[in-house]
Amino acid sequence: MYRLTRNQFRSIACAYISKFATIHYGADSISGNFSQDNVKVGDLIVDDQIFIEATRESGVTFLAGKFDGILGLGFQEISIGNVVPLWEVIK
């Protein structure tokens, strides 16, 4: 997973999606709501990318990390909520 840091209050394109999800990583997990926003990777901007904005985290991995969301880079078929991953949108 890509570490994502964002401030939804600075984004005019941010949209809150009222759909809750939890992702488990071994003994740790994160949970939160899906959000949609424009994502910038280098000089490339992907419009309306969907990701989980973490609001609850368990375990040392997430408590020590400096990120507030999960932007999946796996396959859509195994994604939480059937979200299209960033790499499929930009290909």
Side-chain angles (χ1 to χ4, degrees), residues 10-87:
R10 291 179 50 193
S11 173
I12 59 171
C14 182
Y16 174 79
I17 301 169
S18 63
K19 182 177 176 184
F20 190 79
T22 299
I23 302 175
H24 298 278
Y25 298 93
D28 300 338
S29 67
I30 65 110
S31 58
N33 288 85
F34 285 92
S35 290
Q36 186 173 24
D37 204 348
N38 298 338
V39 175
K40 183 175 182 181
V41 180
D43 292 332
L44 179 67
I45 297 175
V46 177
D47 294 330
D48 303 324
Q49 179 64 45
I50 297 174
F51 55 91
I52 296 172
E53 195 162 350
T55 55
R56 294 185 193 135
E57 303 157 344
S58 71
V60 176
T61 302
F62 298 110
L63 296 176
K66 294 184 179 184
F67 56 95
D68 57 4
I70 299 293
L71 179 65
L73 298 175
F75 295 101
Q76 181 177 2
E77 295 81 13
I78 60 171
S79 71
I80 303 294
N82 199 35
V83 173
V84 178
L86 179 74
W87 65 269

